[in-house]
């Protein structure tokens, strides 16, 4: 059974960097069939896909247009986890941040079948 | 404003049937990209409910079903139960943005 365990600070000051980590059990961050995603939930934006990292002979990252340039998602194979870093945060980045496993061989099929419990991040 | 449009809320009495719509455009649902649905119970993480338009993951009751037509998709819930009270989200791929998008979410109230 795949489980995702999130950790990270709940409070970040404006203009600083948000950092959240997602530890994987029951699967591998280096899986050649899964992708590892970050999604956030806020009252104003609903659910918003932020980006993903995945391994297909080499590492790839893809990011949403809305946060591109501020976001970095990095795998850590030694700890079987992946992390989200978002720079220059504003109160508008206040949200619940979820990590999720993505499965599906095409962009159309791709869905998120396992989710972490979420980390509430407040930017003050 | 979300790329995929859902009604903010729907409601129904126990035992009744409700549908939740998800309206997209020619760059996502209308381009034949599949729609997936998630349920978010209060205080919990989203759960995959329907994938590939109409498929249910193991463990999801057949009271939930998905369909699509043109630039829209729908989630139907039959035999409403109090435990179905949750937020529901659709998700698809958008060819203009070149990444995945969600609907704004629909809050289901069981009266």
């Amino acid at each position: 059974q795949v489980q995702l365990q999130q950790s990270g600070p709940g409070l970040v000051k404006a203009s600083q960097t948000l950092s959240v980590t997602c530890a994987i059990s029951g699967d591998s961050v280096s899986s050649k069939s899964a992708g590892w995603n970050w999604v956030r939930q806020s009252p104003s934006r609903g659910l918003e896909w932020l980006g993903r990292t995945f391994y297909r002979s080499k590492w790839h990252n893809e990011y949403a247009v809305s946060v591109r340039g501020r976001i970095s998602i990095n795998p850590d194979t030694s700890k079987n986890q992946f992390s989200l870093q978002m720079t220059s945060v504003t109160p508008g980045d206040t949200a619940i941040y979820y990590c999720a496993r993505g499965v599906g061989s095409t962009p159309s099929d791709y869905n998120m079948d396992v989710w972490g419990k979420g980390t509430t991040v407040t930017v003050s | 404003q979300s790329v995929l449009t859902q009604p903010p809320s729907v409601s129904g009495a126990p035992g009744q049937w409700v549908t939740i719509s998800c309206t997209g455009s020619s760059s996502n649902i209308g381009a034949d990209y599949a729609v997936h649905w998630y349920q978010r119970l209060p205080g919990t993480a989203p759960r995959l409910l329907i994938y590939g338009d109409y498929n249910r993951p193991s463990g999801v009751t057949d009271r939930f079903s998905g369909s699509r037509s043109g630039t829209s998709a729908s989630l139907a819930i039959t035999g409403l139960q109090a435990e179905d009270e949750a937020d529901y989200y659709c998700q698809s791929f958008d060819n203009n943005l070149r990444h995945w998008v969600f609907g704004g979410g629909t809050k289901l109230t069981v009266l």
Side-chain angles (χ1 to χ4, degrees):
Chain A
Q1 181 185 0
V2 179
Q3 292 186 320
L4 304 177
Q5 181 68 42
Q6 298 183 219
S7 59
L11 188 62
V12 182
K13 292 184 178 178
S15 80
Q16 295 192 342
T17 298
L18 174 162
S19 184
V20 190
T21 299
C22 183
I24 304 164
S25 58
D27 200 345
S28 171
V29 71
S30 303
S31 166
K32 293 182 181 178
S33 60
W36 304 98
N37 304 267
W38 288 99
V39 177
R40 68 182 175 184
Q41 161 81 40
S42 65
S44 59
R45 299 170 185 255
L47 282 178
E48 180 183 13
W49 180 83
L50 298 177
R52 68 170 181 163
T53 188
F54 61 101
Y55 185 78
R56 303 289 185 270
S57 302
K58 68 175 185 177
W59 287 102
H60 302 266
N61 292 308
E62 294 174 341
Y63 302 124
V65 170
S66 60
V67 291
R68 201 169 292 163
R70 293 200 298 134
I71 188 176
S72 177
I73 297 176
N74 297 297
D76 183 341
T77 57
S78 66
K79 296 181 179 178
N80 200 31
Q81 64 186 31
F82 63 108
S83 63
L84 166 70
Q85 289 196 314
M86 185 180 294
T87 61
S88 305
V89 296
T90 70
D93 294 311
T94 294
I96 303 173
Y97 287 76
Y98 294 102
C99 59
R101 183 179 75 169
V103 294
S105 55
T106 69
S108 181
D109 295 336
Y110 197 78
N111 62 85
M112 281 151 259
D113 69 334
V114 180
W115 293 69
K117 293 187 185 301
T119 299
T120 300
V121 177
T122 302
V123 179
S124 63
Chain B
Q1 190 168 352
S2 301
V3 173
L4 304 178
T5 301
Q6 299 180 232
S9 63
V10 296
S11 62
Q16 284 190 333
W17 167 78
V18 296
T19 61
I20 297 173
S21 62
C22 174
T23 302
S25 68
S26 59
S27 65
N28 40 69
I29 300 175
D32 239 11
Y33 289 109
V35 178
H36 318 290
W37 290 90
Y38 300 86
Q39 176 193 57
R40 193 172 72 94
L41 295 167
T44 70
R47 173 179 80 131
L48 180 66
L49 205 60
I50 297 286
Y51 67 94
D53 299 326
Y54 51 80
N55 301 291
R56 285 184 302 275
S58 173
V60 174
T61 173
D62 60 4
R63 295 190 299 106
F64 293 95
S65 62
S67 63
R68 62 179 292 146
S69 177
T71 58
S72 295
S74 291
L75 173 71
I77 311 171
T78 59
L80 271 180
Q81 300 179 3
E83 67 202 46
D84 299 332
E85 198 161 274
D87 295 324
Y88 293 85
Y89 296 87
C90 57
Q91 174 229 319
S92 188
F93 184 83
D94 189 271
N95 207 31
N96 286 344
L97 295 172
R98 300 304 298 168
H99 62 67
W100 295 275
V101 292
F102 289 91
T106 299
K107 182 175 180 58
L108 169 64
T109 300
V110 180
L111 302 170

